[in-house]
Amino acid sequence: MSNADKSLSDELIVHPRQLKVHGSLAILAKDIADILQKNFPGWLWVIEPDQQGQVINIFNHHLHDRWGYTIRTTEIHNDPKRRLAYTAGREILQRFGLEPRGLGPQAALYHSLKRDHHGKIVPMHARDRMTRQQIEQETISEEADRLVKLVEAST
């Protein structure tokens, strides 16, 4: 087993006991995962229960591993239909300019979205928060891509 495979297998949860959280929090995390997979199939959802902070963080690893959604466990305990899980998935997708549905129907749009220098999708509102230097770097990168396409087209 390679080091990459070993580190990935160390991170995968295959049994609820590996979460090292109270059973009710593990059930909440599973409920949230089921709702997200049912309503938004094809996306790589990450659910991180935090027992000490009494929150559940939700991320979409296809989009970005830092721009997520946080649900307080007390709020979702009082939500038997787990509507907050659906709200989290919808909100995350909409932040990136995607429709709140599965990956399949919008795969072409997903592949055309702007990415940062780490290859992660840039949320719609993040461009407003970019520094002048980041905007200049993005402009230079876009211009370089355009020039490469022109050269490829002329050959």
Side-chain angles (χ1 to χ4, degrees):
M1 183 182 298
S2 72
N3 286 344
D5 292 337
K6 191 174 183 180
S7 67
L8 181 61
S9 66
D10 291 341
E11 294 178 15
L12 290 176
I13 303 293
V14 293
H15 195 276
R17 277 185 254 134
Q18 289 177 282
L19 284 173
K20 298 180 182 156
V21 295
H22 192 269
S24 64
L25 190 55
I27 290 169
L28 280 175
K30 184 179 180 330
D31 287 352
I32 291 170
D34 290 344
I35 288 168
L36 292 172
Q37 272 310 118
K38 177 184 169 203
N39 290 291
F40 313 108
W43 294 107
L44 182 57
W45 295 104
V46 177
I47 291 78
E48 294 180 350
D50 180 356
Q51 189 164 320
Q52 260 186 316
Q54 297 181 352
V55 296
I56 297 175
N57 296 309
I58 301 169
F59 301 95
N60 185 316
H61 240 317
H62 279 128
L63 300 173
H64 208 290
D65 54 6
R66 289 175 57 199
W67 294 88
Y69 194 94
T70 300
I71 299 173
R72 290 188 184 106
T73 54
T74 55
E75 290 175 355
I76 200 155
H77 274 299
N78 296 323
D79 179 16
K81 292 190 179 184
R82 310 292 189 239
R83 289 184 193 103
L84 288 171
Y86 178 83
T87 301
R90 186 190 71 227
E91 174 73 24
I92 290 170
L93 293 173
Q94 287 176 338
R95 285 180 193 168
F96 291 91
L98 296 161
E99 293 291 320
R101 55 185 176 169
L103 174 59
Q106 49 193 348
L109 176 60
Y110 163 72
H111 291 294
S112 70
L113 293 173
K114 288 189 182 263
R115 298 176 185 272
D116 64 15
H117 62 284
H118 294 294
K120 298 294 185 181
I121 308 292
V122 177
M124 299 293 287
H125 68 281
R127 183 163 172 84
D128 298 336
R129 296 181 182 167
M130 293 172 76
T131 65
R132 184 177 52 82
Q133 181 182 10
Q134 289 171 320
I135 292 171
E136 287 174 4
Q137 287 173 346
E138 184 176 287
T139 305
I140 290 169
S141 176
E142 288 172 355
E143 185 63 22
D145 289 344
R146 190 182 68 76
L147 290 173
V148 166
K149 287 178 184 175
L150 285 173
V151 170
E152 288 174 349
S154 66
T155 57

